[in-house]
Amino acid sequence: AQSVTQLGSHVSVSEGALVLLRCNYSSSVPPYLFWYVQYPNQGLQLLLKYTSAATLVKGINGFEAEFKKSETSFHLTKPSAHMSDAAEYFCAVSDGSSASKIIFGSGTRLSIRP
Amino acid sequence: DAGITQSPRYKITETGRQVTLMCHQTWSHSYMFWYRQDLGHGLRLIYYSAAADITDKGEVPDGYVVSRSKTENFPLTLESATRSQTSVYFCASFEPGYSPLHFGNGTRLTVT
């Protein structure tokens, strides 16, 4: 069975500081991994995805994530936070065979301090 | 405009009433999904459909009914609403191998 754990329901950083949102997964097969972002009163948008190619994945808005099999992690980072990055972020895992098996984490709310 | 549209955006209903949430997509994606979002639970899959007239249960299907007579529409019905069904509901679609999941903007449902 697959699962995903997001460490920290709320993260607050200063504008210009490093953003680090943590995600650990559990999967019995090579996983597909995703990060989605949700802005207020909107649906989720795909930030980036890992599908067994390069372990460092670059996404939109300057975000990137690194797949570390040994740590079963897929943490999301951005070198310099911007006020517009304030949103809810979801990590998700899939076995790749069908989107019906996409499992979402409980989400991390990112706040940016001026 | 191309995309995925949910209606209504907000709905208040009473316990025991039937309510239907609508979802329409213009991409002709084969797969469509209904999720509910609750604080601390992330998104949980209610039902999904792989094609017209093919539906299957997700993680939390009890109390919900779906149908998919046309590829572009995937309505979700609460046959007898309960307070525990107060939530934000998201519809999503995708085409395997071609697109990621695309989400609608959600329907915020309150059951009083």
Side-chain angles (χ1 to χ4, degrees):
Chain A
Q2 296 169 295
S3 66
V4 62
T5 302
Q6 292 185 240
L7 302 176
S9 60
H10 182 210
V11 170
S12 179
V13 302
S14 298
E15 190 174 18
L18 171 72
V19 174
L20 171 60
L21 305 182
R22 300 178 187 272
C23 173
N24 288 91
Y25 70 90
S26 172
S27 178
S28 58
V29 298
Y32 286 12
L33 293 158
F34 310 84
W35 275 100
Y36 283 82
V37 60
Q38 182 183 29
Y39 298 103
N41 297 316
Q42 294 186 24
L44 280 69
Q45 304 171 35
L46 182 67
L47 265 182
L48 51 82
K49 65 178 180 180
Y50 166 78
T51 57
S52 76
T55 57
L56 183 62
V57 181
K58 294 187 184 298
I60 62 172
N61 300 337
F63 284 93
E64 62 182 35
E66 185 173 8
F67 173 69
K68 292 187 176 181
K69 185 178 178 180
S70 61
E71 299 177 7
T72 61
S73 69
F74 190 58
H75 302 332
L76 181 71
T77 60
K78 182 174 180 177
S80 177
H82 192 273
M83 296 299 291
S84 62
D85 295 327
E88 188 95 15
Y89 292 81
F90 292 90
C91 183
V93 63
S94 166
D95 65 6
S97 62
S98 167
S100 64
K101 301 300 184 186
I102 290 184
I103 305 299
F104 286 87
S106 56
T108 297
R109 183 164 61 90
L110 176 64
S111 299
I112 311 296
R113 302 188 299 271
Chain B
D1 289 341
I4 187 165
T5 305
Q6 292 184 236
S7 61
R9 286 299 308 274
Y10 303 92
K11 176 72 177 179
I12 300 174
T13 192
E14 294 177 344
T15 300
R17 289 193 180 268
Q18 181 181 83
V19 61
T20 296
L21 310 184
M22 305 301 293
C23 179
H24 174 79
Q25 53 111 350
T26 60
W27 293 298
S28 298
H29 287 165
S30 56
Y31 276 82
M32 294 188 75
F33 306 83
W34 275 106
Y35 290 90
R36 60 178 290 173
Q37 182 179 25
D38 304 288
L39 197 62
H41 290 280
L43 273 75
R44 293 181 290 177
L45 181 65
I46 304 171
Y47 269 96
Y48 69 99
S49 168
D53 297 322
I54 300 174
T55 62
D56 207 347
K57 296 178 180 180
E59 182 185 359
V60 288
D62 293 344
Y64 303 95
V65 175
V66 293
S67 62
R68 195 167 175 207
S69 57
K70 293 184 178 181
T71 299
E72 62 267 29
N73 296 324
F74 191 40
L76 175 74
T77 298
L78 289 66
E79 293 190 305
S80 180
T82 65
R83 289 196 180 90
S84 65
Q85 293 177 309
T86 292
S87 185
V88 181
Y89 292 84
F90 286 98
C91 181
S93 72
F94 101 126
E95 189 60 39
Y98 289 94
S99 71
L101 269 177
H102 289 277
F103 284 83
N105 285 333
T107 294
R108 183 176 295 275
L109 176 68
T110 301
V111 183
T112 61

